Amino acid sequence: MLPSLTLVTFLLCRAGDISDGVYRVYDVTISGASIPGQFVAKVREIISSAGLKSHKLKYQTGNKAVFITGIGVVGSNLVVPKRVERRSKELWRDFQRAVTLDEIDITSTRLLAHLGGIRHVVGKGSKRGRKLSSEMNSIRQKREKAFRQNTECLRQESSGRQLLTPDEQEARKDEIAAIPF
């Protein structure tokens, strides 16, 4: 009976020019500029006719985020909860403090996965989604740079060469030029 209840509620929303929201097994979320009392009564009647009971009603107005199944809705924008934003800051801090290649690899992977989840919620075409994409690209570039530098160091160590500073390189050229043969 629940699929028909969902379908009826969906059709009722469309007929009333009201945005339908997310449906869970036990939850119906309806949003719109205004929800008439007669509409709410009709939805409760449909629920009752399906042999189910309706319980609490929540009304939210204004520009405060309304969280539906863990995703915040502010006007036409989607947002993540503050705890997810706090986790982002922690992961950024860990990434910026990473020194070794392993630390950089682990922290960047965690941060990329986390930011990708946020970008999925807010939408990659939104202003926030585009900013996240840019940040993620920057993280990938820093990780690749660390891999390149590590590879170069390993190659030089295996060949026995050491990197010389520009001053050391100039002194070395002078030594080679001074050799009499």
Side-chain angles (χ1 to χ4, degrees):
M1 282 201 198
L2 200 52
S4 63
L5 174 64
T6 302
L7 179 61
V8 169
T9 307
F10 173 80
L11 294 173
L12 191 59
C13 286
R14 287 291 167 234
D17 197 27
I18 296 173
S19 304
D20 60 294
V22 179
Y23 300 98
R24 294 187 292 192
V25 172
Y26 56 88
D27 192 8
V28 176
T29 302
I30 301 169
S31 62
S34 65
I35 311 294
Q38 297 167 343
F39 180 81
V40 174
K42 184 68 175 168
V43 170
R44 283 187 172 243
E45 182 182 311
I46 292 168
I47 292 170
S48 177
S49 69
L52 302 171
K53 291 183 181 179
S54 63
H55 294 285
K56 65 181 178 180
L57 290 176
K58 288 169 92 177
Y59 295 95
Q60 305 247 344
T61 60
N63 287 333
K64 186 177 177 186
V66 176
F67 286 88
I68 304 168
T69 64
I71 305 295
V73 180
V74 181
S76 62
N77 298 319
L78 299 178
V79 296
V80 294
K82 288 186 183 194
R83 64 181 163 74
V84 174
E85 295 294 347
R86 281 194 301 271
R87 179 74 176 139
S88 295
K89 289 180 183 179
E90 292 170 11
L91 291 170
W92 269 110
R93 188 173 42 250
D94 293 345
F95 177 67
Q96 290 167 342
R97 291 180 180 166
V99 177
T100 67
L101 181 63
D102 288 339
E103 289 173 345
I104 291 170
D105 187 32
I106 290 168
T107 57
S108 65
T109 301
R110 287 180 180 158
L111 183 56
L112 285 169
H114 184 77
L115 295 178
I118 295 173
R119 188 182 70 166
H120 181 74
V121 169
V122 300
K124 60 183 177 182
S126 69
K127 184 176 180 180
R128 175 84 195 281
R130 290 190 306 273
K131 182 179 179 196
L132 287 168
S133 293
S134 178
E135 290 175 358
M136 292 169 70
N137 190 43
S138 172
I139 294 165
R140 286 186 198 100
Q141 289 174 349
K142 288 177 184 176
R143 181 172 58 182
E144 288 303 315
K145 181 178 179 183
F147 277 121
R148 282 193 312 272
Q149 288 174 341
N150 186 57
T151 303
E152 181 65 24
C153 287
L154 291 175
R155 191 174 54 114
Q156 289 176 1
E157 285 176 10
S158 68
S159 69
R161 288 190 315 156
Q162 293 183 355
L163 287 177
L164 300 176
T165 66
D167 291 337
E168 292 171 331
Q169 289 174 1
E170 193 62 39
R172 183 77 173 158
K173 286 179 187 176
D174 292 340
E175 285 177 28
I176 293 171
I179 297 175
F181 54 88

PDB file of all heavy atoms in Angstrom, residues 95-126:
ATOM      1  N   PHE A  95      45.896  17.233   6.419  1.00  0.00           N
ATOM      2  CA  PHE A  95      46.563  17.257   5.117  1.00  0.00           C
ATOM      3  C   PHE A  95      47.685  18.303   5.099  1.00  0.00           C
ATOM      4  O   PHE A  95      48.780  18.054   4.590  1.00  0.00           O
ATOM      5  CB  PHE A  95      45.544  17.544   4.007  1.00  0.00           C
ATOM      6  CG  PHE A  95      46.146  17.667   2.638  1.00  0.00           C
ATOM      7  CD1 PHE A  95      46.722  16.573   2.012  1.00  0.00           C
ATOM      8  CD2 PHE A  95      46.138  18.874   1.972  1.00  0.00           C
ATOM      9  CE1 PHE A  95      47.286  16.680   0.753  1.00  0.00           C
ATOM     10  CE2 PHE A  95      46.695  19.000   0.707  1.00  0.00           C
ATOM     11  CZ  PHE A  95      47.268  17.897   0.105  1.00  0.00           C
ATOM     12  N   GLN A  96      47.425  19.468   5.658  1.00  0.00           N
ATOM     13  CA  GLN A  96      48.432  20.534   5.652  1.00  0.00           C
ATOM     14  C   GLN A  96      49.621  20.206   6.551  1.00  0.00           C
ATOM     15  O   GLN A  96      50.731  20.677   6.311  1.00  0.00           O
ATOM     16  CB  GLN A  96      47.790  21.856   6.069  1.00  0.00           C
ATOM     17  CG  GLN A  96      46.837  22.381   5.004  1.00  0.00           C
ATOM     18  CD  GLN A  96      45.950  23.504   5.493  1.00  0.00           C
ATOM     19  OE1 GLN A  96      45.784  23.706   6.681  1.00  0.00           O
ATOM     20  NE2 GLN A  96      45.360  24.236   4.562  1.00  0.00           N
ATOM     21  N   ARG A  97      49.406  19.386   7.573  1.00  0.00           N
ATOM     22  CA  ARG A  97      50.487  19.008   8.482  1.00  0.00           C
ATOM     23  C   ARG A  97      51.267  17.785   7.990  1.00  0.00           C
ATOM     24  O   ARG A  97      52.298  17.461   8.561  1.00  0.00           O
ATOM     25  CB  ARG A  97      49.920  18.714   9.867  1.00  0.00           C
ATOM     26  CG  ARG A  97      49.414  19.948  10.564  1.00  0.00           C
ATOM     27  CD  ARG A  97      48.865  19.621  11.919  1.00  0.00           C
ATOM     28  NE  ARG A  97      48.370  20.813  12.586  1.00  0.00           N
ATOM     29  CZ  ARG A  97      47.606  20.797  13.651  1.00  0.00           C
ATOM     30  NH1 ARG A  97      47.224  19.649  14.182  1.00  0.00           N
ATOM     31  NH2 ARG A  97      47.190  21.916  14.191  1.00  0.00           N
ATOM     32  N   ALA A  98      50.771  17.108   6.981  1.00  0.00           N
ATOM     33  CA  ALA A  98      51.426  15.898   6.484  1.00  0.00           C
ATOM     34  C   ALA A  98      52.807  16.237   5.930  1.00  0.00           C
ATOM     35  O   ALA A  98      52.974  17.219   5.213  1.00  0.00           O
ATOM     36  CB  ALA A  98      50.563  15.237   5.415  1.00  0.00           C
ATOM     37  N   VAL A  99      53.781  15.388   6.274  1.00  0.00           N
ATOM     38  CA  VAL A  99      55.152  15.631   5.850  1.00  0.00           C
ATOM     39  C   VAL A  99      55.642  14.507   4.941  1.00  0.00           C
ATOM     40  O   VAL A  99      56.133  14.769   3.853  1.00  0.00           O
ATOM     41  CB  VAL A  99      56.085  15.774   7.078  1.00  0.00           C
ATOM     42  CG1 VAL A  99      57.523  15.960   6.646  1.00  0.00           C
ATOM     43  CG2 VAL A  99      55.634  16.914   7.958  1.00  0.00           C
ATOM     44  N   THR A 100      55.519  13.278   5.392  1.00  0.00           N
ATOM     45  CA  THR A 100      56.018  12.154   4.612  1.00  0.00           C
ATOM     46  C   THR A 100      55.064  11.831   3.471  1.00  0.00           C
ATOM     47  O   THR A 100      53.897  12.230   3.489  1.00  0.00           O
ATOM     48  CB  THR A 100      56.181  10.896   5.487  1.00  0.00           C
ATOM     49  OG1 THR A 100      54.880  10.455   5.904  1.00  0.00           O
ATOM     50  CG2 THR A 100      57.069  11.175   6.698  1.00  0.00           C
ATOM     51  N   LEU A 101      55.579  11.094   2.507  1.00  0.00           N
ATOM     52  CA  LEU A 101      54.755  10.720   1.359  1.00  0.00           C
ATOM     53  C   LEU A 101      53.553   9.894   1.800  1.00  0.00           C
ATOM     54  O   LEU A 101      52.434  10.103   1.302  1.00  0.00           O
ATOM     55  CB  LEU A 101      55.590   9.948   0.337  1.00  0.00           C
ATOM     56  CG  LEU A 101      54.837   9.522  -0.920  1.00  0.00           C
ATOM     57  CD1 LEU A 101      54.346  10.746  -1.692  1.00  0.00           C
ATOM     58  CD2 LEU A 101      55.695   8.651  -1.798  1.00  0.00           C
ATOM     59  N   ASP A 102      53.773   8.966   2.732  1.00  0.00           N
ATOM     60  CA  ASP A 102      52.650   8.147   3.216  1.00  0.00           C
ATOM     61  C   ASP A 102      51.576   9.005   3.884  1.00  0.00           C
ATOM     62  O   ASP A 102      50.380   8.800   3.659  1.00  0.00           O
ATOM     63  CB  ASP A 102      53.135   7.082   4.196  1.00  0.00           C
ATOM     64  CG  ASP A 102      53.906   5.963   3.512  1.00  0.00           C
ATOM     65  OD1 ASP A 102      53.725   5.792   2.288  1.00  0.00           O
ATOM     66  OD2 ASP A 102      54.674   5.267   4.201  1.00  0.00           O
ATOM     67  N   GLU A 103      51.991   9.963   4.701  1.00  0.00           N
ATOM     68  CA  GLU A 103      51.024  10.846   5.356  1.00  0.00           C
ATOM     69  C   GLU A 103      50.259  11.665   4.326  1.00  0.00           C
ATOM     70  O   GLU A 103      49.043  11.820   4.428  1.00  0.00           O
ATOM     71  CB  GLU A 103      51.741  11.799   6.330  1.00  0.00           C
ATOM     72  CG  GLU A 103      52.287  11.143   7.564  1.00  0.00           C
ATOM     73  CD  GLU A 103      53.118  12.093   8.403  1.00  0.00           C
ATOM     74  OE1 GLU A 103      53.522  13.174   7.904  1.00  0.00           O
ATOM     75  OE2 GLU A 103      53.376  11.760   9.577  1.00  0.00           O
ATOM     76  N   ILE A 104      50.980  12.199   3.347  1.00  0.00           N
ATOM     77  CA  ILE A 104      50.330  13.000   2.301  1.00  0.00           C
ATOM     78  C   ILE A 104      49.336  12.148   1.530  1.00  0.00           C
ATOM     79  O   ILE A 104      48.211  12.581   1.257  1.00  0.00           O
ATOM     80  CB  ILE A 104      51.391  13.615   1.356  1.00  0.00           C
ATOM     81  CG1 ILE A 104      52.193  14.676   2.104  1.00  0.00           C
ATOM     82  CG2 ILE A 104      50.726  14.212   0.117  1.00  0.00           C
ATOM     83  CD1 ILE A 104      53.415  15.168   1.353  1.00  0.00           C
ATOM     84  N   ASP A 105      49.732  10.927   1.201  1.00  0.00           N
ATOM     85  CA  ASP A 105      48.849  10.035   0.445  1.00  0.00           C
ATOM     86  C   ASP A 105      47.588   9.696   1.232  1.00  0.00           C
ATOM     87  O   ASP A 105      46.474   9.811   0.717  1.00  0.00           O
ATOM     88  CB  ASP A 105      49.610   8.760   0.074  1.00  0.00           C
ATOM     89  CG  ASP A 105      48.823   7.865  -0.855  1.00  0.00           C
ATOM     90  OD1 ASP A 105      48.031   8.387  -1.676  1.00  0.00           O
ATOM     91  OD2 ASP A 105      48.990   6.627  -0.773  1.00  0.00           O
ATOM     92  N   ILE A 106      47.751   9.317   2.481  1.00  0.00           N
ATOM     93  CA  ILE A 106      46.599   8.922   3.314  1.00  0.00           C
ATOM     94  C   ILE A 106      45.671  10.110   3.563  1.00  0.00           C
ATOM     95  O   ILE A 106      44.451  10.012   3.381  1.00  0.00           O
ATOM     96  CB  ILE A 106      47.085   8.301   4.638  1.00  0.00           C
ATOM     97  CG1 ILE A 106      47.716   6.931   4.368  1.00  0.00           C
ATOM     98  CG2 ILE A 106      45.931   8.177   5.629  1.00  0.00           C
ATOM     99  CD1 ILE A 106      48.470   6.363   5.546  1.00  0.00           C
ATOM    100  N   THR A 107      46.242  11.248   3.974  1.00  0.00           N
ATOM    101  CA  THR A 107      45.390  12.405   4.304  1.00  0.00           C
ATOM    102  C   THR A 107      44.710  12.976   3.066  1.00  0.00           C
ATOM    103  O   THR A 107      43.554  13.398   3.142  1.00  0.00           O
ATOM    104  CB  THR A 107      46.187  13.508   5.024  1.00  0.00           C
ATOM    105  OG1 THR A 107      47.289  13.914   4.209  1.00  0.00           O
ATOM    106  CG2 THR A 107      46.687  13.030   6.378  1.00  0.00           C
ATOM    107  N   SER A 108      45.423  12.959   1.935  1.00  0.00           N
ATOM    108  CA  SER A 108      44.795  13.493   0.719  1.00  0.00           C
ATOM    109  C   SER A 108      43.655  12.586   0.252  1.00  0.00           C
ATOM    110  O   SER A 108      42.618  13.076  -0.192  1.00  0.00           O
ATOM    111  CB  SER A 108      45.820  13.677  -0.394  1.00  0.00           C
ATOM    112  OG  SER A 108      46.354  12.437  -0.812  1.00  0.00           O
ATOM    113  N   THR A 109      43.835  11.283   0.369  1.00  0.00           N
ATOM    114  CA  THR A 109      42.774  10.355  -0.030  1.00  0.00           C
ATOM    115  C   THR A 109      41.537  10.538   0.840  1.00  0.00           C
ATOM    116  O   THR A 109      40.414  10.598   0.330  1.00  0.00           O
ATOM    117  CB  THR A 109      43.274   8.899   0.060  1.00  0.00           C
ATOM    118  OG1 THR A 109      44.406   8.761  -0.805  1.00  0.00           O
ATOM    119  CG2 THR A 109      42.198   7.920  -0.340  1.00  0.00           C
ATOM    120  N   ARG A 110      41.747  10.667   2.137  1.00  0.00           N
ATOM    121  CA  ARG A 110      40.612  10.892   3.053  1.00  0.00           C
ATOM    122  C   ARG A 110      39.905  12.209   2.737  1.00  0.00           C
ATOM    123  O   ARG A 110      38.676  12.274   2.699  1.00  0.00           O
ATOM    124  CB  ARG A 110      41.087  10.897   4.501  1.00  0.00           C
ATOM    125  CG  ARG A 110      41.445   9.544   5.018  1.00  0.00           C
ATOM    126  CD  ARG A 110      41.912   9.618   6.445  1.00  0.00           C
ATOM    127  NE  ARG A 110      42.267   8.288   6.925  1.00  0.00           N
ATOM    128  CZ  ARG A 110      43.074   8.060   7.941  1.00  0.00           C
ATOM    129  NH1 ARG A 110      43.596   9.076   8.614  1.00  0.00           N
ATOM    130  NH2 ARG A 110      43.352   6.835   8.303  1.00  0.00           N
ATOM    131  N   LEU A 111      40.701  13.250   2.534  1.00  0.00           N
ATOM    132  CA  LEU A 111      40.124  14.567   2.264  1.00  0.00           C
ATOM    133  C   LEU A 111      39.379  14.577   0.933  1.00  0.00           C
ATOM    134  O   LEU A 111      38.272  15.121   0.839  1.00  0.00           O
ATOM    135  CB  LEU A 111      41.220  15.631   2.278  1.00  0.00           C
ATOM    136  CG  LEU A 111      40.786  17.075   2.081  1.00  0.00           C
ATOM    137  CD1 LEU A 111      39.740  17.485   3.118  1.00  0.00           C
ATOM    138  CD2 LEU A 111      41.997  17.996   2.160  1.00  0.00           C
ATOM    139  N   LEU A 112      39.954  13.954  -0.095  1.00  0.00           N
ATOM    140  CA  LEU A 112      39.276  13.902  -1.398  1.00  0.00           C
ATOM    141  C   LEU A 112      37.951  13.155  -1.307  1.00  0.00           C
ATOM    142  O   LEU A 112      36.947  13.588  -1.891  1.00  0.00           O
ATOM    143  CB  LEU A 112      40.180  13.244  -2.438  1.00  0.00           C
ATOM    144  CG  LEU A 112      41.335  14.104  -2.941  1.00  0.00           C
ATOM    145  CD1 LEU A 112      42.313  13.258  -3.750  1.00  0.00           C
ATOM    146  CD2 LEU A 112      40.823  15.269  -3.755  1.00  0.00           C
ATOM    147  N   ALA A 113      37.934  12.043  -0.592  1.00  0.00           N
ATOM    148  CA  ALA A 113      36.693  11.283  -0.444  1.00  0.00           C
ATOM    149  C   ALA A 113      35.638  12.106   0.288  1.00  0.00           C
ATOM    150  O   ALA A 113      34.464  12.137  -0.106  1.00  0.00           O
ATOM    151  CB  ALA A 113      36.959   9.981   0.303  1.00  0.00           C
ATOM    152  N   HIS A 114      36.062  12.787   1.329  1.00  0.00           N
ATOM    153  CA  HIS A 114      35.128  13.596   2.116  1.00  0.00           C
ATOM    154  C   HIS A 114      34.565  14.752   1.287  1.00  0.00           C
ATOM    155  O   HIS A 114      33.343  14.968   1.252  1.00  0.00           O
ATOM    156  CB  HIS A 114      35.849  14.126   3.357  1.00  0.00           C
ATOM    157  CG  HIS A 114      34.980  14.891   4.283  1.00  0.00           C
ATOM    158  ND1 HIS A 114      34.096  14.287   5.146  1.00  0.00           N
ATOM    159  CD2 HIS A 114      34.845  16.224   4.484  1.00  0.00           C
ATOM    160  CE1 HIS A 114      33.458  15.209   5.834  1.00  0.00           C
ATOM    161  NE2 HIS A 114      33.898  16.394   5.450  1.00  0.00           N
ATOM    162  N   LEU A 115      35.457  15.482   0.609  1.00  0.00           N
ATOM    163  CA  LEU A 115      35.001  16.614  -0.202  1.00  0.00           C
ATOM    164  C   LEU A 115      34.142  16.140  -1.375  1.00  0.00           C
ATOM    165  O   LEU A 115      33.194  16.828  -1.769  1.00  0.00           O
ATOM    166  CB  LEU A 115      36.198  17.420  -0.713  1.00  0.00           C
ATOM    167  CG  LEU A 115      37.033  18.123   0.356  1.00  0.00           C
ATOM    168  CD1 LEU A 115      38.219  18.835  -0.276  1.00  0.00           C
ATOM    169  CD2 LEU A 115      36.200  19.068   1.180  1.00  0.00           C
ATOM    170  N   GLY A 116      34.449  14.972  -1.919  1.00  0.00           N
ATOM    171  CA  GLY A 116      33.626  14.417  -2.995  1.00  0.00           C
ATOM    172  C   GLY A 116      32.211  14.125  -2.523  1.00  0.00           C
ATOM    173  O   GLY A 116      31.243  14.330  -3.264  1.00  0.00           O
ATOM    174  N   GLY A 117      32.076  13.650  -1.288  1.00  0.00           N
ATOM    175  CA  GLY A 117      30.753  13.415  -0.720  1.00  0.00           C
ATOM    176  C   GLY A 117      29.960  14.695  -0.573  1.00  0.00           C
ATOM    177  O   GLY A 117      28.766  14.757  -0.886  1.00  0.00           O
ATOM    178  N   ILE A 118      30.632  15.736  -0.109  1.00  0.00           N
ATOM    179  CA  ILE A 118      29.959  17.037   0.037  1.00  0.00           C
ATOM    180  C   ILE A 118      29.553  17.557  -1.338  1.00  0.00           C
ATOM    181  O   ILE A 118      28.437  18.047  -1.530  1.00  0.00           O
ATOM    182  CB  ILE A 118      30.861  18.054   0.759  1.00  0.00           C
ATOM    183  CG1 ILE A 118      31.125  17.606   2.189  1.00  0.00           C
ATOM    184  CG2 ILE A 118      30.224  19.441   0.749  1.00  0.00           C
ATOM    185  CD1 ILE A 118      32.139  18.462   2.924  1.00  0.00           C
ATOM    186  N   ARG A 119      30.463  17.442  -2.305  1.00  0.00           N
ATOM    187  CA  ARG A 119      30.169  17.930  -3.656  1.00  0.00           C
ATOM    188  C   ARG A 119      28.981  17.184  -4.255  1.00  0.00           C
ATOM    189  O   ARG A 119      28.157  17.760  -4.957  1.00  0.00           O
ATOM    190  CB  ARG A 119      31.392  17.787  -4.556  1.00  0.00           C
ATOM    191  CG  ARG A 119      31.194  18.456  -5.908  1.00  0.00           C
ATOM    192  CD  ARG A 119      32.370  18.261  -6.784  1.00  0.00           C
ATOM    193  NE  ARG A 119      32.402  16.859  -7.168  1.00  0.00           N
ATOM    194  CZ  ARG A 119      33.138  16.374  -8.142  1.00  0.00           C
ATOM    195  NH1 ARG A 119      33.933  17.140  -8.808  1.00  0.00           N
ATOM    196  NH2 ARG A 119      33.097  15.109  -8.435  1.00  0.00           N
ATOM    197  N   HIS A 120      28.871  15.904  -3.939  1.00  0.00           N
ATOM    198  CA  HIS A 120      27.732  15.124  -4.434  1.00  0.00           C
ATOM    199  C   HIS A 120      26.418  15.677  -3.869  1.00  0.00           C
ATOM    200  O   HIS A 120      25.416  15.751  -4.575  1.00  0.00           O
ATOM    201  CB  HIS A 120      27.902  13.654  -4.059  1.00  0.00           C
ATOM    202  CG  HIS A 120      26.799  12.779  -4.535  1.00  0.00           C
ATOM    203  ND1 HIS A 120      26.662  12.421  -5.857  1.00  0.00           N
ATOM    204  CD2 HIS A 120      25.759  12.215  -3.883  1.00  0.00           C
ATOM    205  CE1 HIS A 120      25.589  11.659  -5.988  1.00  0.00           C
ATOM    206  NE2 HIS A 120      25.021  11.521  -4.807  1.00  0.00           N
ATOM    207  N   VAL A 121      26.442  16.060  -2.595  1.00  0.00           N
ATOM    208  CA  VAL A 121      25.235  16.593  -1.953  1.00  0.00           C
ATOM    209  C   VAL A 121      24.867  17.956  -2.526  1.00  0.00           C
ATOM    210  O   VAL A 121      23.722  18.197  -2.908  1.00  0.00           O
ATOM    211  CB  VAL A 121      25.418  16.696  -0.416  1.00  0.00           C
ATOM    212  CG1 VAL A 121      24.293  17.488   0.226  1.00  0.00           C
ATOM    213  CG2 VAL A 121      25.500  15.309   0.191  1.00  0.00           C
ATOM    214  N   VAL A 122      25.844  18.872  -2.589  1.00  0.00           N
ATOM    215  CA  VAL A 122      25.529  20.246  -2.999  1.00  0.00           C
ATOM    216  C   VAL A 122      25.370  20.375  -4.504  1.00  0.00           C
ATOM    217  O   VAL A 122      24.814  21.362  -4.982  1.00  0.00           O
ATOM    218  CB  VAL A 122      26.575  21.257  -2.480  1.00  0.00           C
ATOM    219  CG1 VAL A 122      26.649  21.229  -0.970  1.00  0.00           C
ATOM    220  CG2 VAL A 122      27.935  21.027  -3.100  1.00  0.00           C
ATOM    221  N   GLY A 123      25.853  19.394  -5.256  1.00  0.00           N
ATOM    222  CA  GLY A 123      25.750  19.427  -6.714  1.00  0.00           C
ATOM    223  C   GLY A 123      26.998  20.027  -7.330  1.00  0.00           C
ATOM    224  O   GLY A 123      27.438  21.102  -6.908  1.00  0.00           O
ATOM    225  N   LYS A 124      27.558  19.346  -8.312  1.00  0.00           N
ATOM    226  CA  LYS A 124      28.826  19.820  -8.874  1.00  0.00           C
ATOM    227  C   LYS A 124      28.662  21.089  -9.703  1.00  0.00           C
ATOM    228  O   LYS A 124      29.622  21.791  -9.946  1.00  0.00           O
ATOM    229  CB  LYS A 124      29.513  18.728  -9.688  1.00  0.00           C
ATOM    230  CG  LYS A 124      28.738  18.207 -10.859  1.00  0.00           C
ATOM    231  CD  LYS A 124      29.508  17.076 -11.516  1.00  0.00           C
ATOM    232  CE  LYS A 124      28.718  16.473 -12.652  1.00  0.00           C
ATOM    233  NZ  LYS A 124      29.422  15.355 -13.248  1.00  0.00           N
ATOM    234  N   GLY A 125      27.450  21.424 -10.099  1.00  0.00           N
ATOM    235  CA  GLY A 125      27.221  22.646 -10.868  1.00  0.00           C
ATOM    236  C   GLY A 125      26.947  23.865 -10.014  1.00  0.00           C
ATOM    237  O   GLY A 125      26.953  24.990 -10.503  1.00  0.00           O
ATOM    238  N   SER A 126      26.727  23.652  -8.710  1.00  0.00           N
ATOM    239  CA  SER A 126      26.459  24.788  -7.826  1.00  0.00           C
ATOM    240  C   SER A 126      27.754  25.553  -7.568  1.00  0.00           C
ATOM    241  O   SER A 126      28.851  25.062  -7.824  1.00  0.00           O
ATOM    242  CB  SER A 126      25.871  24.302  -6.497  1.00  0.00           C
ATOM    243  OG  SER A 126      26.860  23.601  -5.757  1.00  0.00           O
TER     244      SER A 126
END
